[in-house]
Amino acid sequence: MTIKVVYFARYRELLGTDGEVLVGAFACIEDVRQALLDKGERYAVLAEKNLMCARNQDLCKPDEALEDGDEVAFFPPVTGG
């Protein structure tokens, strides 16, 4: 399975990239996040509790199922005021 991962806001800045492509067996977004965390300390920011995610540009929860070719986005919580 091939998944395109994109990062927004502070995550993009801290990771030094706007995205990457992962190949592997991913049942859900949490599997993608865990695979990234396993890549090393650089990805520790993705361990934040309030991390937000989207699948194919639709907000979702980390347990959202994935299909080959999906785009997964990670971004920090958004606040308004």
Side-chain angles (χ1 to χ4, degrees):
M1 173 181 287
T2 301
I3 301 294
K4 179 180 179 186
V5 181
V6 292
Y7 307 110
F8 290 99
R10 182 170 55 88
Y11 294 167
R12 177 175 38 203
E13 293 170 18
L14 291 171
L15 293 170
T17 184
D18 60 354
E20 58 192 290
V21 174
L22 295 181
V23 176
F26 308 109
C28 64
I29 290 178
E30 179 60 24
D31 291 346
V32 171
R33 188 178 74 91
Q34 194 59 56
L36 291 165
L37 290 170
D38 290 347
K39 289 176 72 171
E41 184 66 29
R42 175 177 169 219
Y43 291 89
V45 68
L46 298 179
E48 293 181 341
K49 286 184 181 182
N50 295 329
L51 170 110
M52 295 184 70
C53 56
R55 175 182 170 242
N56 299 329
Q57 301 179 359
D58 290 323
L59 288 176
C60 63
K61 297 194 182 279
D63 63 355
E64 178 83 10
L66 294 174
E67 295 180 15
D68 187 39
D70 279 347
E71 177 186 87
V72 170
F74 292 114
F75 46 98
V78 179
T79 59

